Amino acid sequence: MAPSRATILITGETGTGKELIAKAVHSHSTRSEQPFIAVNSSSIPSELLESTLFGHVRGAFTGAIASRKGYFELAHRGTIFFDEIGTISVETQAKLLRVIQDREFMPVGSSETVKVDVRIVAATNADLKRAVDEGRFREDLYYRLNVINLVLPPLRDRREDIPLLIDYFFQKYCRENEKFLDAQGNPTLRFDADAMQIVLDHNWPGNVRELENVVERAVVLAGAPGVSADVLPDYLLTAGGMRVRRDESGHLPADASLFEVVADFERRKIIEALEASNWSQTEAAEELRIPLSTLNQKIKRLNIDVRRRGEKSKGHDASV
């Protein structure tokens, strides 16, 4: 769809990379040598948005000491990207609709129209159809924007991308910080098996942006090329851990993912070792031949309630 003139609406959760997709569309279009102008609709005060988009003439309002071109004029022959399009006012929506339909607009305070050739790509993390139903977004503008709808899935639904993204961010931040680079300038930093499993298990509510922050933190704090779970944020270990689905009989469902199968096996082996050692984590770690710190991390990640199970075991011993 990139070479076309069609307007595109990109939808997806925060942090899924909507602006990157918009830039990719622009770079693969016939407009790639022309400007790409990004507009963060939610960060511009509503009273300034109109003049920011369409420009203004001198004296149009208090403080307008000189005429100024707006983003639409600056983006002529190129692409203008509206991030969080659902936040713009109803008044600005009407003027935006006219630009899309007629390819022209009036700067604030002017009586002359300016013609532009601009491709529009918009993005939102909100449900625009619901906003239309509730009267917060114009229906005619919604259909003008939604010629082609690109839905970006959250990171938790494309976990196979996580190792690829991690490699990319290691390259970026190792070079930026000049750390853990070989003679050719390639990064040598890697997550060890346990740290990688924690990263793969996490649901990433902040999506790719959250993952990037975690990798950058790892680069800054790592003391060796093998990054252990010690450098991961605490919330990755305590924010719910790996959830394993089970059917009514308590078994893994037939469509269980590899992550769930591995987590279920680890959880059973750890509980067996803890029960055999009367819930002594030190002895269980020795039995499993892993460091105590690693066992503690796995207990948190796999949601094993050590305290409750240990108390239950002690109560049973006392009754005997």
Side-chain angles (χ1 to χ4, degrees):
M1 66 189 69
S4 74
R5 292 174 56 93
T7 302
I8 297 174
L9 178 64
I10 305 171
T11 55
E13 294 179 6
T14 298
T16 49
K18 295 186 288 294
E19 184 170 349
L20 288 176
I21 293 294
K23 288 179 178 178
V25 168
H26 175 74
S27 66
H28 286 79
S29 74
T30 57
R31 301 170 180 263
S32 59
E33 299 300 319
Q34 303 301 324
F36 175 90
I37 304 292
V39 182
N40 189 330
S41 310
S42 61
S43 68
I44 302 174
S46 57
E47 63 272 15
L48 297 178
L49 185 58
E50 186 178 343
S51 64
T52 301
L53 294 179
F54 308 119
H56 61 259
V57 297
R58 181 181 178 182
F61 50 84
T62 303
I65 58 176
S67 297
R68 182 179 176 183
K69 292 181 179 180
Y71 284 158
F72 268 102
E73 197 167 352
L74 294 174
H76 183 53
R77 299 186 187 281
T79 302
I80 189 166
F81 169 63
F82 285 92
D83 196 11
E84 301 310 330
I85 188 71
T87 63
I88 65 175
S89 68
V90 175
E91 294 78 11
T92 306
Q93 289 175 33
K95 295 182 179 181
L96 180 58
L97 178 64
R98 182 186 175 188
V99 179
I100 297 175
Q101 291 179 159
D102 302 334
R103 304 287 174 178
E104 63 181 28
F105 61 89
M106 279 187 187
V108 177
S110 175
S111 59
E112 297 182 1
T113 59
V114 177
K115 291 190 176 293
V116 288
D117 173 16
V118 174
R119 184 186 196 173
I120 294 176
V121 179
T124 182
N125 63 7
D127 186 342
L128 280 191
K129 190 64 175 68
R130 175 181 292 180
V132 169
D133 295 339
E134 295 174 353
R136 293 181 288 108
F137 201 84
R138 291 180 63 113
E139 186 175 29
D140 45 7
L141 178 57
Y142 170 72
Y143 287 116
R144 283 287 184 177
L145 292 173
N146 198 30
V147 176
I148 296 175
N149 183 209
L150 274 176
V151 181
L152 296 192
L155 190 57
R156 62 183 172 274
D157 290 345
R158 49 186 175 105
R159 294 179 189 270
E160 67 276 8
D161 286 355
I162 292 175
L164 301 172
L165 289 164
I166 288 173
D167 286 345
Y168 171 78
F169 291 132
F170 271 146
Q171 290 184 36
K172 176 180 178 180
Y173 289 109
C174 283
R175 289 168 180 163
E176 188 175 294
N177 290 277
E178 298 182 350
K179 293 181 66 177
F180 302 107
L181 298 172
D182 62 19
Q184 287 72 43
N186 298 312
T188 59
L189 204 61
R190 295 289 184 274
F191 283 124
D192 67 20
D194 287 315
M196 179 61 87
Q197 193 61 55
I198 291 170
V199 169
L200 290 173
D201 289 346
H202 186 55
N203 273 333
W204 300 106
N207 292 295
V208 180
R209 189 177 295 128
E210 181 187 0
L211 176 62
E212 180 176 5
N213 291 342
V214 168
V215 175
E216 182 180 9
R217 170 195 169 96
V219 172
V220 172
L221 298 181
V227 182
S228 68
D230 295 337
V231 303
L232 296 176
D234 288 342
Y235 77 85
L236 255 66
L237 302 175
T238 59
M242 179 65 185
R243 300 291 181 183
V244 179
R245 296 173 298 135
R246 299 189 184 281
D247 58 25
E248 294 179 357
S249 62
H251 297 102
L252 287 175
D255 64 343
S257 68
L258 177 61
F259 304 115
E260 291 175 302
V261 173
V262 172
D264 182 63
F265 177 78
E266 279 192 311
R267 195 173 195 279
R268 285 189 286 107
K269 293 297 290 184
I270 289 171
I271 290 175
E272 287 174 6
L274 287 167
E275 288 176 340
S277 64
N278 200 27
W279 294 88
S280 167
Q281 293 177 47
T282 302
E283 293 180 19
E286 292 175 356
E287 172 67 23
L288 294 167
R289 292 188 295 232
I290 59 175
L292 179 59
S293 60
T294 300
L295 177 61
N296 289 330
Q297 291 159 8
K298 288 182 180 292
I299 286 172
K300 291 178 181 178
R301 178 171 60 85
L302 297 169
N303 295 297
I304 300 173
D305 192 344
V306 177
R307 182 177 299 177
R308 179 179 295 180
R309 289 175 179 268
E311 289 174 352
K312 188 175 181 180
S313 175
K314 290 177 181 177
H316 176 74
D317 290 344
S319 66
V320 172

